[in-house]
Amino acid sequence: MPRFFIDLHTGTEHVRDTEGFDLPDIDAVRHKLLRIMTTILRDLSPDLEREDFVAAVRDESGAFILRSRLSLAMEAIE
């Protein structure tokens, strides 16, 4: 089964996936990425004003094959 690595970038931090995930195909990678990004969103602090995340997926050869962006902005309307 192919192995995929999902690196996470925030505005100030880069977390490189060194373990990876064994997933059968690109559809499974997309589902895994969606679960990761939803977990990030669920765990965000309600006090933030803006947060941006980018997850980049690499295959076993190190080639980037997929990217996902998550941005959240909270703005008071007065």
Side-chain angles (χ1 to χ4, degrees):
M1 189 171 302
R3 194 159 194 84
F4 298 93
F5 301 85
I6 302 175
D7 302 332
L8 184 63
H9 306 266
T10 68
T12 58
E13 190 176 354
H14 173 223
V15 179
R16 185 172 175 86
D17 182 359
T18 58
E19 295 182 27
F21 301 92
D22 291 324
L23 299 167
D25 54 32
I26 193 68
D27 287 336
V29 173
R30 287 176 177 273
H31 283 104
K32 181 70 172 178
L33 189 53
L34 181 60
R35 285 193 304 276
I36 289 170
M37 297 304 262
T38 335
T39 299
I40 290 170
L41 181 61
R42 185 182 61 234
D43 293 341
L44 288 177
S45 166
D47 298 329
L48 65 84
E49 291 182 14
R50 180 168 182 89
E51 199 70 46
D52 297 296
F53 296 92
V54 176
V57 180
R58 294 178 283 119
D59 64 12
E60 292 173 306
S61 74
F64 288 99
I65 59 165
L66 189 62
R67 181 174 36 230
S68 176
R69 296 177 192 273
L70 174 65
S71 294
L72 179 68
M74 293 254 203
E75 302 168 348
I77 300 174
E78 298 179 32

